[in-house]
Amino acid sequence: RWEWFAGLPDAESLCRRMLTLSPDQRPSAQDCLKHKWFSLASDTQGSIDPSRLRALAEYADKNALQKAVYLQIASQMDAQDLKNINDVFKQADVDRDGFLKPEELVDALKRMGMSEREAAKAASAMDLSGAGMIQYTEFVAACISKYDSRLEDHLFHAFQLFAKGAGGDGQHITREALVAMLSRGEASGLGWAPSQLEISQIVDELDVSREGLIDFQEFRRYFVSHASIRPDFKAAKQ
């Protein structure tokens, strides 16, 4: 349906190149990202609201469980809810390779008003896999780490996934399963595992009833108590 591209010659030329039958002549993903159409799209200055910028600055203070959960939530979010975040990521990705190098992200955050020290600390904290580059989902996870009303539903879904993944009934997470998951950093989406002391502290704070089972209310209460809650979340709960 090439008529859909009427008035969009750059988009049409890119799609035609991507549909090339010969693999040798078909452009790679990185070649596509360098196409003129993406360059034109990135001319729009991306920005995020101050509360999300503060979330990025504070992300380094999140512990392993919080980062793992926000990473899971980020992977489930609809791109339409992340438009400004998408714009910032694309603008910061100077070489169009689909990842953010720490220096690219630091420069972008400084342009938005963050100090160099805070920007460098945030960039380091976002590299959850330890690969030396920030993936899109890792960037989104940091941006959404302010607790708001929209995050509540995503948090419940993340809890169910963790509960089922731990071999449970989807309603509870056992202390033993949570300890095992956090001890295997890769299992929770992290490229590293926290110390046993940190794991014990996390689990003790979660298991308020000391029954050895963590339900969603305990899980939610833990995230609310460790978050700088956005105003719209307070309003939604009144």
Side-chain angles (χ1 to χ4, degrees), residues 2 11-20:
W2 295 109
E12 180 179 346
S13 71
L14 174 60
C15 288
R16 287 187 182 277
R17 289 187 61 196
M18 291 170 63
L19 292 171
T20 302

Side-chain angles (χ1 to χ4, degrees), residues 1-13 15-16 37:
R1 305 295 296 274
W2 295 109
E3 63 269 20
W4 291 349
F5 293 92
L8 298 170
D10 294 314
E12 180 179 346
S13 71
C15 288
R16 287 187 182 277
W37 186 56

Side-chain angles (χ1 to χ4, degrees), residues 54-93:
R54 179 49 46 190
L56 291 173
E58 295 173 353
Y59 194 61
D61 299 325
K62 303 296 182 185
N63 63 37
L65 176 64
Q66 292 166 325
K67 289 179 178 178
V69 170
Y70 284 124
L71 190 65
Q72 174 61 46
I73 291 174
S75 70
Q76 301 296 321
M77 294 193 76
D78 192 321
Q80 292 183 345
D81 294 333
L82 304 169
K83 185 179 185 307
N84 289 348
I85 295 175
N86 294 340
D87 290 342
V88 170
F89 185 91
K90 287 190 292 185
Q91 185 180 338
D93 184 16

Side-chain angles (χ1 to χ4, degrees), residues 105-120:
L105 181 56
V106 168
D107 287 343
L109 294 177
K110 285 169 60 180
R111 286 195 298 271
M112 287 185 279
M114 193 179 289
S115 71
E116 183 165 2
R117 179 177 174 277
E118 282 189 323

